[in-house]
């Protein structure tokens, strides 16, 4: 179904004019603020017409179409998806589309960050509107030139076509004429049935550069006169710097300086290897500065807080006490997960050059505005005098939402008065960073004599989580009597969002526990969930924040594609979850090999609305599933007196290539606008696997990593 966009009321599209050398530059804003300014595209300055806008579509005289993409690229595919959306409405020739990464500019851009699986949902209509408005202007320009009604013209692959005469004019030839026309008040968007590009599999626009090793990443940044810096941070959470002997290190080859700040010791020199050797030779003494927690302490802390009489109530429906008092059967279980590092392939790094009255920043960050503000605070230089260029990121998973590594680069550059590229080692990444918080959940379910779920309790205890629950997610709204509360422990171990924050483990715990309840009720796990959803639709309890039909849709699709309950020789486990406005259901298939469970296949059904790039979407789901399997099976960061006990991949276990099962991905085509996809496939994975393992072995996995539990104990 097509739709109409009003440009005047939404202010989403602003025609800027012709740029030097010929062509049409079109800006579309993401806010309604107005301000005088200048738009710059590839070094060409263009009068901005006195209106603030933040992303650009340009058509050059040679027909090349460029979109300036503001959001950081961490592998979520926006550098491909953004131009695809524009090209679709524009009817452009995809071979002549290119995308350019924008630098930080919060006068022109809104939401210039990457997190929460929100880039494409946020930009979907704005990008479509830009393409459709450009197409309208090009058609009008062609109509004027050919002296025919615009309604008699069509477009295809960068050409305006007059079928009656057989004449065709390229977009490049029309660009200057189009730039002189007024932008329309309204534009009509394509009907989904007419999409030629959206929904198809398209290669990532950076593939060639990635595969041929072209400079794209923060570690590739180079500036003349640049120094390399590495930092020794306190080796345990709860320690502070007491003293450091720098004399011997300063005398080592290639070392320019050794500086201290904020409990850190930075070694600065001319080459990576020289600096690494010098850093390893540092003689530092630390002293205690707070609690030195060990993993062995956490079991006690969790139990004390789980049994705490008071907690923060997140949601309460009905009479929970009465439901449990009158229950025919009560099921009670606890689930626990450890701290986890983010482990991106590219360790933290950033370039900073602090000058007298300005700062130049370059590197991989999910939150460039936060990074710039941190630099401003450190240097006292106003944010408007700080430039920040974004590089592609070699993974992030939430770690690069933080600005600590940017602040470190700025601090060092300021102290040594030189341009500096700060580099973390893998050991730094695992031992001195931010982690997924450890969490423990206690679940209780009350069943009546017919096996109906009449009561539900969940208490979450998190380490620096704020709220370790998602109180409005399923099965809330489907149970008459429900209590969800949480308790917080403030740990000195630093934590940060980790791919699909909170739900990355909560989904495993909730969906595994629902399988326990279904078993106790004597019901099929899939039917048990569907019955609860039917109840929520017919007689909802309180507010329901999820879409019941969308959740049922992925449940039914996953069960159908996996042949749920119809296969022999494999054991199946089911899971479904809602996060970031999307729904994913999964079926894990396990076979017994020499008495041990082996994961053979995972079926996934996703509902993320309109799929933009089928190739990218499949990869997002497959990557999320592999990530979910690997961390559920193997991931475990432990502490002894505040010090991480795993410091590299020789003792921090990741999933291996031979352990990756076949993954089959399907999408629900429901015609709605895109919702999130970077994170939603990970949360349901652990439970789909664990529930299948239970079917095969009758061993219920309640703690992660699985490798340390039966039936896997002793497996390397």
């Amino acid at each position: 179904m097509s739709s109409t966009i009003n440009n005047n009321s939404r202010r989403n599209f602003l025609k800027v004019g012709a740029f030097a050398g010929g062509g049409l530059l079109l800006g579309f804003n993401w806010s309604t603020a107005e301000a005088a300014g200048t738009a710059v595209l590839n070094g060409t300055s263009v009068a901005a017409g006195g209106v603030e806008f933040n992303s650009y579509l340009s058509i050059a005289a040679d027909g090349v179409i460029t979109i300036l993409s503001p959001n950081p690229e961490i592998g979520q595919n926006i550098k491909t998806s953004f131009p695809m959306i524009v090209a679709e409405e524009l009817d452009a020739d995809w071979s002549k589309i290119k995308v350019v990464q924008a630098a930080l500019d919060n006068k022109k851009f809104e939401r210039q960050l990457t997190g929460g699986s929100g880039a494409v949902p946020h930009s979907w209509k704005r990008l479509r509107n830009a393409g459709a408005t450009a197409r309208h202007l090009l058609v009008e320009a062609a109509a004027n030139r050919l002296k025919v009604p615009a309604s008699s013209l069509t477009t295809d692959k960068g050409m305006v076509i007059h079928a009656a005469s057989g004449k065709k004019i390229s977009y490049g030839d029309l660009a200057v004429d189009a730039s002189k026309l007024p932008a329309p008040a309204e534009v009509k968007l394509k009907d989904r049935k007419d999409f030629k590009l959206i929904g198809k599999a398209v290669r990532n626009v950076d593939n060639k550069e990635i595969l041929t090793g072209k400079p794209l990443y923060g570690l590739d940044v180079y500036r003349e006169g640049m120094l390399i810096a590495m930092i020794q941070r306190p080796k345990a959470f709860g320690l502070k710097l007491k003293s450091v002997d720098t004399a011997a290190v300063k005398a080592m080859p290639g070392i320019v300086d050794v500086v201290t700040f904020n409990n850190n010791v930075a070694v600065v020199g001319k080459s990576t290897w020289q600096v690494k050797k010098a850093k390893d030779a540092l003689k530092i003494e630390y002293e205690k500065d707070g609690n030195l927690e060990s993993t062995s302490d956490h079991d006690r802390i969790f139990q004390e807080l789980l049994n705490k009489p008071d907690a923060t109530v997140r949601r309460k429906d009905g009479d929970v006490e009465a439901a449990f008092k009158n229950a025919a059967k009560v099921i009670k279980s606890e689930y626990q997960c450890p701290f986890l590092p983010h482990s991106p392939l590219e360790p933290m790094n950033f370039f900073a050059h602090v000058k007298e009255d300005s700062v130049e920043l370059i590197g991989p960050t999910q939150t460039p505005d936060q990074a710039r503000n941190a630099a401003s605070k450190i240097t006292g230089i106003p944010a408007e005098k700080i430039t920040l260029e974004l590089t592609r990121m070699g993974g992030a998973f939430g770690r690069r939402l933080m600005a600590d590594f940017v602040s470190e680069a700025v601090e060092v550059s300021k102290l040594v008065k030189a341009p500096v590229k700060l580099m973390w080692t893998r050991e730094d990444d695992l031992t001195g960073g931010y982690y997924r918080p450890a969490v423990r959940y206690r679940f209780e379910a009350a069943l009546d004599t017919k096996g109906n779920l009449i009561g539900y309790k969940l208490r979450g205890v998190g380490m620096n989580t704020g709220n370790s629950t998602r109180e409005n997610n399923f099965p809330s709204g489907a149970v008459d009597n429900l209590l969800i509360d949480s308790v917080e422990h403030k740990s000195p171990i630093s934590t940060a969002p980790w791919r699909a924050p909170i739900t990355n483990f909560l989904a495993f715990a909730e969906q595994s526990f629902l399988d326990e309840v279904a078993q106790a009720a004597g019901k099929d796990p899939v039917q048990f969930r569907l019955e609860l959803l039917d109840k929520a639709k017919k007689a909802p309890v309180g507010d329901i924040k999820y879409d019941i039909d969308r959740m049922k849709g992925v449940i039914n699709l996953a069960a159908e594609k996996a042949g749920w309950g119809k296969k022999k020789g494999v054991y199946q486990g089911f899971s479904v979850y809602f996060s970031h406005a999307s729904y994913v259901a999964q079926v894990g298939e396990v076979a017994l090999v020499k008495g041990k469970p082996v994961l053979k296949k995972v079926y996934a059904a996703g509902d993320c609305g309109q799929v933009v790039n089928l190739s990218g979407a499949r990869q997002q789901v497959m990557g999320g599933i592999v990530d979910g399997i690997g961390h559920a099976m193997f991931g475990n960061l432990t502490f002894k007196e505040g010090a991480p006990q795993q410091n590299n991949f020789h003792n921090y276990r990741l999933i291996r290539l031979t352990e990756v099962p076949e993954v089959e991905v399907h999408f629900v085509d429901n015609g709605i606008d895109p919702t999130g996809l970077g994170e939603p496939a990970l949360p349901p994975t652990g439970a789909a696997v664990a529930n299948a393992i239970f079917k095969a072995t009758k061993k219920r996995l309640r703690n992660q990593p699985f490798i340390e539990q039966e039936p896997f104990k002793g497996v390397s």
Side-chain angles (χ1 to χ4, degrees), residues 346-473:
E346 178 190 22
M348 301 303 106
N349 66 88
F350 224 81
F351 170 88
H353 188 187
V354 178
K355 305 170 190 176
E356 224 173 275
D357 61 353
S358 65
V359 181
E360 180 188 15
L361 300 174
I362 310 173
T365 172
Q366 293 178 252
T367 53
D369 194 46
Q370 176 180 280
R372 181 170 65 179
N373 290 338
S376 179
K377 186 176 180 180
I378 291 166
T379 62
I381 294 172
E384 59 267 23
K385 292 188 176 182
I386 300 174
T387 62
L388 194 153
E389 292 181 39
L390 293 164
T391 63
R392 190 180 179 95
M393 285 172 252
F397 312 113
R399 177 63 182 91
R400 287 184 162 99
L401 289 168
M402 315 304 289
D404 56 309
F405 50 95
V406 182
S407 296
E408 290 175 347
V410 173
E411 292 271 17
V412 176
S413 178
K414 179 185 174 185
L415 288 168
V416 301
K417 295 180 170 45
V420 165
K421 179 162 73 174
L422 173 75
M423 297 173 62
W424 288 42
T425 63
R426 178 59 60 195
E427 287 82 2
D428 292 333
D429 247 7
L430 263 72
T431 63
Y434 288 77
Y435 309 104
R436 181 190 78 173
V439 179
R440 190 170 183 89
Y441 294 109
R442 175 179 288 166
F443 294 90
E444 297 177 64
L447 298 175
D448 65 14
T449 54
K450 295 181 180 179
N452 297 313
L453 181 60
I454 58 171
Y456 182 88
K457 292 183 191 177
L458 164 61
R459 172 169 288 189
V461 177
M463 304 274 186
N464 308 331
T465 57
N467 176 11
S468 55
T469 74
R470 290 293 181 264
E471 63 273 13
N472 294 317
N473 278 9

Side-chain angles (χ1 to χ4, degrees), residues 19-334:
F19 59 82
L24 173 64
L25 178 67
L26 302 162
F28 52 101
N29 70 342
W30 295 4
S31 63
T32 59
E34 296 188 1
T38 297
V40 179
L41 180 66
N42 291 341
T44 303
S45 180
V46 187
V51 183
E52 182 179 355
F53 49 89
N54 85 344
S55 200
Y56 313 94
L57 160 67
S58 71
I59 303 174
D62 62 0
V64 172
I65 298 167
T66 302
I67 185 169
L68 193 61
S69 180
N71 289 59
E73 173 61 80
I74 60 174
Q76 79 281 35
N77 204 46
I78 56 169
K79 279 186 74 177
T80 304
S81 297
F82 272 22
M84 281 181 66
I85 297 166
V86 177
E88 181 65 75
E89 290 294 344
L90 188 60
D91 265 344
D93 181 351
W94 180 249
S95 68
K96 290 190 175 182
I97 291 284
K98 72 174 181 178
V99 61
V100 175
Q101 177 68 60
L104 173 64
D105 190 336
N106 55 15
K107 286 185 178 179
K108 296 185 179 73
F109 302 113
E110 178 188 292
R111 199 191 182 277
Q112 197 175 3
L113 59 86
T114 292
S117 300
V120 170
H122 179 269
S123 305
W124 169 250
K125 287 183 178 177
R126 294 166 174 83
L127 293 164
R128 293 187 71 189
N129 188 35
T133 305
R135 178 182 174 276
H136 175 95
L137 293 171
L138 292 160
V139 169
E140 288 291 328
N144 292 341
R145 186 179 296 186
L146 296 172
K147 297 184 175 12
V148 298
S151 59
S152 68
L153 301 172
T154 59
T155 56
D156 185 48
K157 291 186 177 179
M159 305 289 290
V160 180
I161 303 162
H162 185 239
S165 65
K167 293 180 178 178
K168 298 180 180 181
I169 310 176
S170 73
Y171 286 177
D173 287 342
L174 293 165
V176 174
D177 289 350
S179 71
K180 298 172 184 176
L181 299 174
E186 292 184 342
V187 288
K188 187 177 181 180
L189 302 180
K190 277 187 179 181
D191 192 300
R192 290 179 68 250
K193 67 179 175 57
D194 297 323
F195 285 167
K196 302 171 185 174
L197 193 59
I198 289 175
K200 302 295 190 296
V202 175
R203 292 178 181 175
N204 189 303
V205 295
D206 282 340
N207 272 359
K208 183 177 179 181
E209 286 73 17
I210 292 169
L211 293 171
T212 56
K214 293 292 190 297
L216 284 171
Y217 300 94
L219 287 173
D220 296 323
V221 171
Y222 175 79
R223 285 288 185 275
E224 193 67 35
M226 179 184 79
L227 299 175
I228 301 297
M230 291 186 182
I231 292 177
Q232 180 60 62
R233 300 161 191 85
K235 295 187 175 182
F237 293 90
L239 292 180
K240 66 178 180 179
L241 180 66
K242 183 178 181 181
S243 65
V244 56
D245 182 354
T246 63
V249 170
K250 284 183 177 180
M252 293 178 71
I255 301 306
V256 174
D257 206 350
V258 179
V259 295
T260 61
F261 65 95
N262 302 337
N263 286 325
N264 297 320
V265 181
V267 180
V268 185
K270 296 179 180 178
S271 76
T272 304
W273 181 239
Q274 288 171 325
V275 172
K276 172 70 167 62
K277 287 174 68 178
K279 177 195 168 200
D280 291 343
L282 283 169
K283 295 180 180 179
I284 304 175
E285 192 176 349
Y286 296 98
E287 60 186 350
K288 191 175 178 183
D289 184 36
N291 293 332
L292 298 174
E293 286 186 358
S294 298
T295 298
S296 57
D297 300 327
H298 294 155
D299 284 337
R300 172 185 53 78
I301 292 168
F302 280 138
Q303 286 306 315
E304 287 175 357
L305 295 178
L306 281 172
N307 296 323
K308 190 177 178 182
D310 59 319
T312 301
V313 175
R314 303 294 177 177
R315 177 165 177 157
K316 188 173 183 181
D317 297 324
D319 189 339
V320 179
E321 292 75 14
F324 276 84
K325 183 179 178 181
N326 298 321
K329 186 181 291 186
V330 172
I331 304 95
K332 184 175 178 179
S333 289
E334 294 182 9

Side-chain angles (χ1 to χ4, degrees), residues 482-511:
L482 175 143
L483 173 64
I484 297 177
D485 59 22
S486 67
V487 185
E488 179 79 351
H489 170 67
K490 295 295 183 184
S491 172
I493 300 169
S494 56
T495 61
W498 192 95
R499 191 175 189 178
I502 304 299
T503 59
N504 58 64
F505 180 75
L506 176 59
F508 158 72
E510 285 181 340
Q511 289 294 305

Side-chain angles (χ1 to χ4, degrees), residues 327-344:
K329 186 181 291 186
V330 172
I331 304 95
K332 184 175 178 179
S333 289
E334 294 182 9
Y335 287 77
Q336 185 169 316
C337 71
F339 287 96
L340 290 181
H342 295 78
S343 304

